[in-house]
Amino acid sequence: MLLKTPVIEEWSPNGPRAEEDLRELSAVLHAAVHAGASVSFVLPFSLDDAYTFWRAKVLPGVLDRSRVVLVARIGDEIIGTVQLILDTPANQKHRAEVAKLLVHPKARRRGIARALMQAIEDVARRERRTLITLDTRTGDLAEPLYLSMGYVKVGIIPRYAVDPEGRKLEGTTILYKELQ
Ligand SMILES: CC(C)(COP(=O)(O)OP(=O)(O)OC[C@H]1O[C@@H](n2cnc3c(N)ncnc32)[C@H](O)[C@@H]1OP(=O)(O)O)[C@@H](O)C(=O)NCCC(=O)NCCS
């Protein structure tokens, strides 16, 4: 199944599979955190915790259109996702923030993250956003991906967040890209 090419699409909370999709998005987040991803959460992190994030934090934003969620599917199964946060301050309506780029550990190194990032840039253009900002744990695998896509590294904030195991503070790298 994983040899198939994923389809990338904007996630709709109104579709017939919405509840199932929330469960699958939770499974992707849960698996990523348990594989070491530093994406706001600290272990122990249950599937229910992941579901609460999607339902309570993400879903309202999708419903009020302050957030766009893209999903990568193989068949019906979601194996990757990324978000664009649009509710920027009144003086930054040309800017959007990319968040929660996640690919299930079983589907990595097949270009899915790169495809998700290309698609989210298209969404930003559609939303008339010309500046994308994001941050990522310093030294993470995502950093070379962003750099290869033309993101500019602004710098590192040291000791920004605790690692998923809650043992040590780690830095975050701030990046941006101006869209053409
Ligand atoms: C980072 C992540 C999204 C990459 O997903 P992916 O689908 O495996 O990435 P891709 O196959 O599209 O690879 C894109 C680029 O990322 C980098 N990369 C990804 N995995 C890598 C690895 N294991 N080793 C080295 N580079 C890697 C490479 O630059 C790669 O480009 P290349 O294939 O041309 O060398 C995935 O590892 C993940 O979900 N990590 C946990 C969550 C996370 O850290 N998200 C970023 C938060 S901002």
Side-chain angles (χ1 to χ4, degrees):
M1 179 191 69
L2 286 177
L3 296 175
K4 291 185 187 157
T5 305
V7 172
I8 293 179
E9 61 188 18
E10 188 167 339
W11 181 66
S12 166
N14 302 313
R17 287 183 49 87
E19 183 57 32
E20 212 172 336
D21 285 348
L22 284 174
R23 300 269 169 211
E24 287 183 5
L25 286 163
S26 306
V28 172
L29 174 60
H30 180 259
V33 170
H34 281 264
S38 181
V39 285
S40 308
F41 304 103
V42 176
L43 300 174
F45 182 68
S46 67
L47 258 179
D48 281 349
D49 294 333
Y51 180 79
T52 298
F53 167 74
W54 286 101
R55 179 160 271 289
K57 300 277 187 203
V58 180
L59 179 61
V62 178
L63 289 170
D64 71 17
R65 302 205 59 79
S66 62
R67 198 181 277 246
V68 173
V69 173
L70 295 184
V71 293
R73 290 185 197 271
I74 294 179
D76 280 338
E77 185 185 2
I78 295 173
I79 40 86
T81 180
V82 67
Q83 299 178 31
L84 192 69
I85 298 170
L86 298 165
D87 62 344
T88 44
N91 66 350
Q92 296 163 39
K93 289 302 176 194
H94 63 299
R95 181 176 73 82
E97 189 177 335
V98 166
K100 300 286 180 290
L101 173 66
L102 301 166
V103 174
H104 195 290
K106 70 183 178 187
R108 289 186 182 166
R109 296 264 41 195
R110 296 180 44 217
I112 295 171
R114 191 181 292 281
L116 281 164
M117 285 302 296
Q118 279 158 356
I120 206 78
E121 289 182 5
D122 288 342
V123 172
R125 288 185 189 93
R126 182 192 79 195
E127 299 293 329
R128 299 180 188 284
R129 306 296 168 116
T130 54
L131 176 64
I132 292 183
T133 54
L134 60 83
D135 65 85
T136 186
R137 176 169 58 180
T138 303
D140 254 353
L141 299 173
E143 211 173 315
L145 164 63
Y146 298 136
L147 293 174
S148 76
M149 293 186 71
Y151 286 77
V152 178
K153 182 170 158 176
V154 178
I156 293 170
I157 304 175
R159 296 176 293 284
Y160 184 79
V162 75
D163 74 294
E165 297 191 326
R167 291 193 182 137
K168 59 181 186 302
L169 288 170
E170 298 178 311
T172 198
T173 301
I174 311 287
L175 300 108
Y176 75 90
K177 181 173 180 177
E178 291 187 279
L179 297 179
Q180 302 304 316

